[in-house]
């Protein structure tokens, strides 16, 4: 079974631009979660989608948004990029319930100049 | 809100030796899950081991085992017969069983170095 895939793997943007990252979960998984990893703040939960609905949301500004499609693929969008948005963005997928284990993708490295 | 603390930013172990990574957490919940994830230089997060809080028996996966002390809110990872490929960042994570979601709360991580 193929693992979680994320595209693109690397991205360079400038301040003020917006960016869209994509995550394809493991086949059959309906939950997709997003995390931001930075040296200063560590790993922080952004949001989780399940069956096209946002199920949980972390403490991030409204510039960070996401969505999930009917095939469970998910996208996250960051508008008006700031230098502090430079990070590794990790996506994780799980089956459905909160008894399941989540599996992570390789991440997207975003650099904001 | 739950918090997870890993008090050892870096640890070092000789190849073939045993090392223990510490993790403590704070929660008022009684039902939850605890995880150890490994993040090698490739940055891919890999699940090492998982523990359900309602289970008294400590989880074991080959060379990896945990010491789960629920009353003390402690969840340490023991790596036996350390190998060079074990060198990585290790993250302890908590997940509540009380909500329907899969949100993980992570500790700050421990960098493990393995000396040949």
């Amino acid at each position: 079974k193929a693992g979680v895939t994320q595209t693109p793997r690397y991205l360079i943007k400038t301040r003020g631009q917006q960016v869209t990252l994509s995550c394809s979960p493991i086949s059959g998984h309906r939950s997709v979660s997003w995390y931001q990893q930075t040296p200063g703040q560590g790993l922080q939960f952004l949001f989780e989608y399940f069956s096209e609905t946002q199920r949980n949301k972390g403490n991030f500004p409204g510039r960070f948004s996401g969505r999930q499609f009917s095939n469970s693929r998910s996208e996250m969008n960051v508008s008006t990029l700031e230098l502090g948005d430079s990070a590794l963005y990790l996506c994780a997928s799980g089956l459905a319930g909160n008894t399941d284990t989540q599996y992570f993708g390789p991440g997207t490295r975003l650099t904001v100049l | 809100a739950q918090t997870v603390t890993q008090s050892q930013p870096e640890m070092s172990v000789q190849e073939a030796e045993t090392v223990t990574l510490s993790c403590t957490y704070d929660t008022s919940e009684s039902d939850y899950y605890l995880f150890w994830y490994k993040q090698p230089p490739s940055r891919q997060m890999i699940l090492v081991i998982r523990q359900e809080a309602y289970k008294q028996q400590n989880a074991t996966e080959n060379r990896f085992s945990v010491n789960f002390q629920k009353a003390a809110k402690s969840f340490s990872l023991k790596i036996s017969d350390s190998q060079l490929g074990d060198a990585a960042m290790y993250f302890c994570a908590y997940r509540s069983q009380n909500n329907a979601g899969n949100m993980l709360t992570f500790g700050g991580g421990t960098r493990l170095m393995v000396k040949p």
Side-chain angles (χ1 to χ4, degrees):
Chain A
K1 204 181 250 190
V4 179
T5 58
Q6 291 187 246
T7 57
R9 293 293 310 278
Y10 301 91
L11 205 49
I12 299 176
K13 292 285 187 179
T14 56
R15 277 181 299 175
Q17 287 187 310
Q18 76 166 24
V19 67
T20 299
L21 312 182
S22 179
C23 172
S24 292
I26 292 171
S27 177
H29 285 192
R30 294 163 62 194
S31 163
V32 174
S33 299
W34 290 89
Y35 294 84
Q36 182 196 64
Q37 185 175 24
T38 60
Q41 299 298 318
L43 280 152
Q44 293 185 287
F45 173 79
L46 279 154
F47 31 63
E48 180 199 4
Y49 286 87
F50 175 73
S51 293
E52 303 178 62
T53 301
Q54 189 179 84
R55 186 157 70 172
N56 281 297
K57 187 178 188 305
N59 189 25
F60 277 82
R63 300 186 297 107
F64 291 82
S65 63
R67 59 177 175 168
Q68 186 179 34
F69 301 94
S70 58
N71 62 357
S72 294
R73 189 178 71 86
S74 177
E75 289 181 348
M76 69 163 279
N77 184 276
V78 188
S79 63
T80 319
L81 284 166
E82 300 176 0
L83 295 179
D85 297 332
S86 294
L88 179 69
Y89 290 88
L90 293 166
C91 160
S93 79
L95 278 169
N98 63 357
T99 60
D100 305 318
T101 295
Q102 290 179 273
Y103 298 90
F104 283 81
T108 293
R109 169 74 66 187
L110 171 65
T111 301
V112 182
L113 302 176
Chain B
Q2 295 80 27
T3 58
V4 179
T5 302
Q6 294 178 247
S7 59
Q8 307 150 316
E10 278 192 2
M11 291 282 286
S12 180
V13 64
Q14 205 71 35
E15 196 176 4
E17 298 289 303
T18 295
V19 65
T20 299
L21 308 184
S22 300
C23 172
T24 58
Y25 57 95
D26 187 26
T27 184
S28 58
E29 300 174 334
S30 58
D31 296 320
Y32 49 87
Y33 298 87
L34 296 165
F35 304 84
W36 278 99
Y37 280 92
K38 169 186 176 181
Q39 188 178 43
S42 68
R43 295 298 198 174
Q44 176 98 41
M45 294 281 277
I46 302 164
L47 177 68
V48 174
I49 202 164
R50 148 187 170 142
Q51 175 80 43
E52 290 85 350
Y54 65 85
K55 289 187 178 178
Q56 291 186 334
Q57 187 172 7
N58 289 323
T60 299
E61 287 288 341
N62 301 313
R63 299 182 295 108
F64 299 88
S65 61
V66 298
N67 183 5
F68 172 50
Q69 301 289 327
K70 191 173 183 179
K73 295 179 184 174
S74 169
F75 182 61
S76 60
L77 175 69
K78 185 172 85 171
I79 306 174
S80 303
D81 185 26
S82 296
Q83 300 175 1
L84 294 178
D86 294 334
M89 284 291 291
Y90 286 81
F91 292 95
C92 177
Y94 172 103
R95 188 177 76 204
S96 170
Q97 196 177 336
N98 290 341
N99 67 55
N102 279 318
M103 185 181 86
L104 292 169
T105 301
F106 286 92
T110 296
R111 181 177 303 280
L112 177 66
M113 294 174 285
V114 181
K115 298 177 181 177

